[in-house]
Amino acid sequence: MSERFVTTYSMWSLFRNCRKACEWRYVNELVPLKSEHCLSFGSLIHECLEKWHRKRDLAMVLDHIDRSLSGRSSDECQKADWHLARAMMTGYASTYPVEDFDVVFLEKTFEGKIVNPATDSPSRSFVLAGKVDGIVCVNGKFYLLEHKTASQMDGDYLEKLWGDFQVCLYAYYVEQVFGIRIAGIIYNILVKARLQQSKGETEAEFEVRRADLIAKSKTGRTSATRKMPESDADFQARLAAKYAEPGMFHRETLYISRDQFDTLRTDLWELTQQFLDCRRRRVFYQNTSYCFFYHRPCPYFALCRSNGSSNVIENFYEHKAAHEELREEPVEVEDIPVF
Ligand code: SF4
């Protein structure tokens, strides 16, 4: 890795959205003690997809899910993720028994120069690094494979892919660093089923419901029985039926125009200049309109509200080096794809 400050798409994206958040994460290297649940589910599915596309061994993928969520017997959240991940990957394996692409690389990291578009000189301060989910080949042309887990997929969702700055940027860097011309991006979308395992009802809840039914009944009687908790097997069967429905898996191919690369280079350079200015003046201003952007508080809300109190840092945050996502997992020799 370079001695220049390593940056990633995530960092620049955060810098664009709120400079203060970028400072908390990438300058002060702070992260909240509790990791965000939806991010960890997405990471697990990414790991599963990598394993699946390397060996196409569903048993191995399911075993990885079992081991990753080993606390599921006592943790409701892990249990729900375990059901969903198993059903999603089982459905994925039967939806794509064969692929119309050849895998070239999986989870490939890169690091490249950030270049001043006016002079073509590389930045002396920054480089850009990242990791692509995959590079695949279809009929002699190369595409980035980008996995997405989505809560729902509709026309709006697909429309928004057009503005996916990250993947376009990655395509540009893959071309620069590996010399592979990227024709487009294959979005591999997996939809999260919204089903929940029924908990059944307690004796007391049943009695309330029963009394209500009797009160409404003309005969003064009811044949209602207590709803029992749904078994794991029944819930898995319900999830499997859901994942057999159309629309739970989708592949969308977008083609890249070379003009997009020029815009990206210009935008990225501009961001580096603004970052240098913030760092020089030690001013990373807050964008308070971003604090609840995802309908929940920003992970640094407690810090901003307390004006960076050391007490809050000590109790709710930990120091973690930036760009952990770039660490490459060791790949066993027999895991390397054949092409
Ligand atoms: S809480 Fe608001 S101002 Fe503070 S870092 Fe987060 S988005 Fe920025």
Side-chain angles (χ1 to χ4, degrees), residues 14 17-22 24 285-292 297-305:
L14 195 57
N17 291 325
C18 177
R19 293 176 178 198
K20 194 71 195 170
C22 183
W24 291 131
Y285 60 72
Q286 299 179 334
N287 174 11
T288 49
S289 58
Y290 191 70
C291 302
F292 289 87
C298 150
Y300 297 103
F301 191 72
L303 260 180
C304 283
R305 197 168 53 178

Side-chain angles (χ1 to χ4, degrees), residues 175-186:
E175 289 205 2
Q176 302 299 309
V177 176
F178 303 120
I180 299 174
R181 186 180 166 87
I182 299 296
I185 299 142
I186 299 173

Side-chain angles (χ1 to χ4, degrees), residues 112-297:
K113 297 169 186 164
I114 298 180
V115 173
N116 181 344
T119 63
D120 268 342
S121 317
S123 166
R124 281 176 289 152
S125 307
F126 304 104
V127 288
L128 188 108
K131 189 194 264 187
V132 291
D133 293 338
I135 300 172
V136 297
C137 183
V138 185
N139 299 328
K141 291 191 171 164
F142 296 96
Y143 295 79
L144 291 190
L145 181 66
E146 170 74 5
H147 306 311
K148 298 263 185 206
T149 48
S151 300
Q152 70 177 65
M153 192 200 45
D154 50 20
D156 275 2
Y157 183 90
L158 297 178
E159 195 68 19
K160 281 185 194 145
L161 295 177
W162 175 85
D164 192 346
F165 182 78
Q166 176 177 10
V167 182
C168 226
L169 191 65
Y170 283 10
Y172 170 74
Y173 275 92
V174 165
E175 289 205 2
Q176 302 299 309
V177 176
F178 303 120
I180 299 174
R181 186 180 166 87
I182 299 296
I185 299 142
I186 299 173
Y187 286 97
N188 181 32
I189 304 163
L190 297 85
V191 177
K192 288 190 263 182
R194 291 182 179 184
L195 305 182
Q196 288 189 342
Q197 187 170 18
S198 167
K199 290 189 170 64
E201 58 190 352
T202 62
E203 190 66 45
E205 285 167 341
F206 170 59
E207 286 307 331
V208 170
R209 184 167 66 87
R210 189 164 169 273
D212 193 39
L213 288 170
I214 288 172
K216 287 179 188 157
S217 159
K218 287 187 184 138
T219 62
R221 283 186 305 216
T222 174
S223 58
T225 54
R226 183 178 156 196
K227 289 180 196 159
M228 301 310 283
E230 185 176 25
S231 71
D232 285 349
D234 286 350
F235 185 45
Q236 274 295 317
R238 211 153 53 88
L239 280 167
K242 184 74 195 165
Y243 275 108
E245 289 178 9
M248 298 305 282
F249 302 103
H250 181 78
R251 299 255 171 97
E252 186 79 12
T253 302
L254 294 190
Y255 294 90
I256 294 174
S257 98
R258 304 290 119 180
D259 297 348
Q260 280 172 280
F261 285 170
D262 293 338
T263 310
L264 286 174
R265 270 162 38 112
T266 308
D267 287 358
L268 186 56
W269 183 258
E270 185 56 29
L271 288 168
T272 63
Q273 300 313 291
Q274 290 178 16
F275 188 93
L276 285 174
D277 186 51
C278 291
R279 202 165 60 175
R280 183 175 53 78
R281 295 192 293 119
R282 295 189 185 177
V283 178
F284 287 81
Y285 60 72
Q286 299 179 334
N287 174 11
T288 49
S289 58
Y290 191 70
C291 302
F292 289 87
F293 190 75
Y294 295 105
H295 307 292
R296 58 177 186 271

Side-chain angles (χ1 to χ4, degrees), residues 14 26 35 43 52 72 99 101 109-110 123 145 171 183 222 224 231 274 299 306:
L14 195 57
Y26 295 100
S35 76
S43 305
W52 170 252
R72 61 189 177 278
E99 294 288 6
F101 55 68
T109 53
F110 63 82
S123 166
L145 181 66
T222 174
S231 71
Q274 290 178 16
S306 67

Side-chain angles (χ1 to χ4, degrees), residues 40-52 57-72 78 81-82 85-86 89 329-330 332 335:
S40 28
F41 182 77
S43 305
L44 173 62
I45 294 300
H46 268 71
E47 289 162 15
C48 291
L49 288 168
E50 181 190 359
K51 289 187 184 303
W52 170 252
D57 179 346
L58 182 60
M60 191 181 83
V61 172
L62 297 181
D63 179 59
H64 178 68
I65 295 169
D66 290 352
R67 281 185 289 111
S68 302
L69 299 167
S70 56
R72 61 189 177 278
Q78 281 203 23
D81 282 357
W82 177 78
R86 283 182 73 95
M89 289 310 302
E329 296 298 327
E332 293 167 32
D335 278 355

